[in-house]
């Protein structure tokens, strides 16, 4: 029998529980006048995505959102995290599609009717193809276009939003996509990566300024963290892990909270950053109202020959998810306490994503144990002084898992991608029981 999920009553009063989704992964881009994004282009290129699958239909959340929100309400959830598809709202990145805004209007009202607090993420990776043609996140102008998009969305639905995040996982937007080439636009270019690493933060800062000017409150950003563990105590391996920690975990939070980039990352990226990048740090360093923390796993790093960053990953010994990621709940506790200590103090923090891919269709007791272990890690961080105010499981639905297509299943709810039928899994029922007021 799986470890029981800690009941709601064991968390602080007012602690929010919810599930997370992302527009491109669930909505279906062939509906409602949505324009093409660089993910459509990436998926159409042979070899990039499992079976060349894309988000054209996804889970058809565009039409089935009432059923999906009902599932959250029946699980006694308090909040629903969602994103707006830039290509749906502005198909060319600049011109408003009224049908797109109408959809998000209906969606937010649907959350409120069901007692779900809307947690909005403005950008979850779906860059309009027209802007990608102009260089995407390599192009500084994209930052201004993003601020325009943020304003358009906020003017329409901002009055009903509980919390707004500008960007989801800038490391994935920039490094994974421009240096490692694993996500759209699929580049492996250090100059492109350095510029994207900077411009995605500048876009965040410009949007924060714009939204504060509109009087919008409860503004934040969602960062992902991945524990960097040295393969040994050898100095070279310790340095390798420190470099990866600087690139993945410190670059974004230190820019936002300290107005500086870590030296271990600048060592490789500084020559490729835009000229005068230092002048942007004041804009990037906007005060946050809250921080979203996405956490899934750890990686073990060793020194490697070759150019910077001169590291390689070493396979770890822990049990792994369907993604091949080690199950390491202690890493979530590590980051929540580290962020409180080193970066954000008593700022409200939400675990905005945590979950596992699992091939088991409905009897997913392994997932139930995963959720239980990570919620207990969250409780330990709270006991140590971290101001964690909520936890969102990733994801409510099996969905389009980016370069993994529809093969990797993170959902509490099983989706049959032929019929689109939703079937709650055992983990869904276990979480619902834990969240019932008792």
């Amino acid at each position: 029998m799986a470890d029981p999920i800690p009941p709601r009553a064991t968390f602080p009063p007012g602690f929010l529980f919810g599930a997370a989704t992302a527009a491109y992964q669930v909505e279906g881009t062939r509906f409602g006048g949505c324009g093409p994004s660089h993910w459509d282009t990436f998926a159409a290129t042979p070899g990039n995505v499992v079976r060349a699958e894309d988000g054209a239909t996804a889970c058809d959340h565009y039409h089935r959102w009432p059923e999906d929100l009902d599932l959250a309400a029946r699980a006694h959830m308090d909040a629903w995290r969602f994103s707006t598809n830039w290509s749906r709202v502005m198909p060319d990145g600049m011109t408003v599609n009224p049908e797109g805004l109408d959809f998000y209007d209906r969606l937010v009202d649907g959350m409120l009717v069901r007692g779900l607090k809307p947690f909005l993420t403005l950008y979850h990776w779906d860059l309009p193809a027209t802007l990608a043609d102009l260089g995407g996140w390599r192009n500084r102008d994209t930052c201004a276009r993003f601020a325009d998009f943020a304003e358009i969305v906020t003017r329409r639905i901002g009055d009903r939003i509980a919390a707004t995040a500008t960007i989801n996982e800038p490391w994935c937007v920039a490094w994974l996509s421009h240096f490692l080439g694993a996500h759209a636009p699929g580049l492996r270019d250090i100059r492109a990566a350095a510029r994207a690493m900077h411009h995605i933060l500048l876009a965040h800062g410009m949007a924060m300024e714009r939204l504060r000017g509109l009087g919008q409150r409860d503004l934040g950003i969602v960062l992902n963290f991945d524990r960097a563990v040295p393969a040994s105590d050898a100095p070279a391996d310790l340095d390798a892990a420190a470099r990866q920690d600087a690139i993945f975990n410190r670059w974004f939070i230190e820019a936002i909270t300290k107005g500086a980039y870590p030296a271990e990352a600048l060592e490789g990226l500084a020559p490729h950053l835009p000229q005068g990048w230092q002048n942007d740090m004041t804009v990037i360093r906007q005060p946050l109202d809250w921080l979203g923390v996405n956490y899934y796993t750890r990686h073990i790093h060793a020194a490697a020959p070759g150019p910077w960053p001169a590291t390689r990953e070493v396979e770890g010994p822990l049990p792994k998810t369907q993604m091949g990621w080690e199950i390491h709940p202690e890493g979530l506790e590590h980051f929540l306490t580290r962020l409180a200590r080193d970066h954000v103090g008593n700022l409200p923090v939400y675990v905005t994503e945590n979950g596992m891919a699992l091939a088991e269709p409905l009897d997913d007791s392994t997932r139930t144990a995963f959720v239980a272990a990570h919620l207990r890690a969250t409780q330990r961080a709270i006991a140590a002084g971290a101001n964690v105010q909520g936890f969102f499981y990733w994801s409510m639905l099996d969905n389009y898992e980016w370069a993994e297509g529809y093969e990797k299943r993170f959902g509490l709810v099983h989706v049959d991608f032929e019929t689109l039928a939703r079937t709650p899994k055992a983990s869904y029922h276990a979480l619902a029981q834990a969240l019932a007021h008792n």
Side-chain angles (χ1 to χ4, degrees), residues 229-232 236-238 240-241 243 300-304 309-314:
V229 178
S232 76
D237 288 348
L238 294 172
R243 280 194 297 279
I300 300 173
H301 301 279
T311 65
R312 62 182 176 89
E313 288 183 10
V314 177

Side-chain angles (χ1 to χ4, degrees), residues 10 29 69 87 134 143 153 191 194 212 250 257-258 263 275 283 296 303 346 365 369 384 396 408 418 421:
T10 63
T29 57
L69 297 184
S87 298
L134 300 175
C143 305
V153 170
R191 180 180 175 89
R212 288 212 193 281
R250 294 174 53 206
T257 61
K258 300 181 180 180
Q275 187 173 6
V283 176
Y296 289 94
N346 198 44
S365 57
M396 175 60 80
K408 302 297 192 290
E418 296 296 323

Side-chain angles (χ1 to χ4, degrees), residues 18 62 78 82 110 131 136 183 218 319 373 384 420:
Y62 185 83
D78 311 300
F82 72 109
L131 298 182
H183 280 188
D218 296 311
L420 297 177

Side-chain angles (χ1 to χ4, degrees), residues 369-383:
F370 181 99
V371 174
H374 286 80
L375 281 172
R376 285 195 294 270
T378 302
Q379 290 179 321
R380 292 194 299 271
I382 293 170

Side-chain angles (χ1 to χ4, degrees), residues 204 231 250 269 377 431:
H204 155 76
R250 294 174 53 206
L269 294 178
L431 184 59

